[in-house]
Structure formats: structure tokens, C-alpha cells
Amino acid sequence: MNSHIMNRKTNFSDVTKAQLIADFKIVMSDAEALIKATANQGGDAIEAVRNQAAKSIAMAKASVIDVEMDVLARSKEVVKEADIYVHENPWQAIGVGAGIGLLIGFLVARR
């Protein structure tokens, strides 16, 4: 039972990671747009900063891809474990589903 509680924590963590990845992609996109917008600006210092930023963005993209793959692998693992659990304990799964349904019904009825 404790492993299922930990899986729920992992799911919340994965959701947070997924949101972080999405936000980070937006930041990278904005940084790339800024680099392109300043392409016509002169000066060796600006060019050096632009090159360093481009390298940093490339490394960050690679890291984001790694994190995405990790989140995807963990999500598949959790789904597989849930499937195994439901097949091994169908009546418990039905009971949990019914309990959650009742709880949602009570919450909706209170409104």
C-alpha cells in the first residue's frame, strides 16, 4: 500500500516537472527570439554574449529533452503498475473507484 502512496507523490512530482518543462520551453523560445532580434546589433561584446547565450540554450534544450524522457518513462511505469494492481486486486480497485465517485458526488451536491 505504501508503494501506491509513493506513486501518487511521483505523479504530483511529474505534473510539476511537466509544468516546469513547459515554462522552461517558453523561456528558451523567448531567449532565442531575443538573440535573433539583436543579431544586427554590433560590437564584439554583444556578439560574445549572444554566442554564449546560444550555447547555453542548446545545453538547456538537451537537458529538457532528458527530463521529458525521464518523466515519460516514469509515467509509463506508474500506469503499468496501476494496471497490474487493478488486475491483481479488481474488487479493491472497484471499491476505491466507487469511493472516489461517492466523494465527488457529495462535493458536487454541496454546491
Side-chain angles (χ1 to χ4, degrees), residues 42-109:
D44 291 336
I46 292 176
E47 183 66 27
V49 170
R50 201 170 26 249
N51 288 337
Q52 182 59 39
K55 288 178 189 176
S56 296
I57 289 172
M59 289 180 1
K61 281 183 177 182
S63 295
V64 167
I65 289 171
D66 289 343
V67 171
E68 281 181 312
M69 298 302 273
D70 183 48
V71 168
L72 181 62
R74 286 183 185 196
S75 298
K76 286 181 179 181
E77 186 178 309
V78 168
V79 168
K80 183 178 177 182
E81 286 181 21
D83 184 54
I84 290 169
Y85 179 79
V86 168
H87 281 86
E88 290 176 354
N89 305 294
W91 291 109
Q92 288 178 348
I94 290 170
V96 169
I100 291 172
L102 284 172
L103 179 63
I104 291 172
F106 285 132
L107 292 174
V108 170

Side-chain angles (χ1 to χ4, degrees), residues 5-60:
I5 292 170
M6 286 193 290
N7 285 340
R8 288 185 191 142
K9 290 180 182 176
T10 301
N11 288 342
F12 292 130
S13 175
D14 290 345
V15 170
T16 303
K17 285 180 185 177
Q19 183 60 44
L20 181 61
I21 290 168
D23 292 345
F24 192 67
K25 283 183 176 182
I26 292 169
V27 170
M28 287 189 305
S29 175
D30 291 345
E32 286 176 329
L34 180 62
I35 290 170
K36 288 177 184 176
T38 61
N40 295 330
Q41 301 295 323
D44 291 336
I46 292 176
E47 183 66 27
V49 170
R50 201 170 26 249
N51 288 337
Q52 182 59 39
K55 288 178 189 176
S56 296
I57 289 172
M59 289 180 1

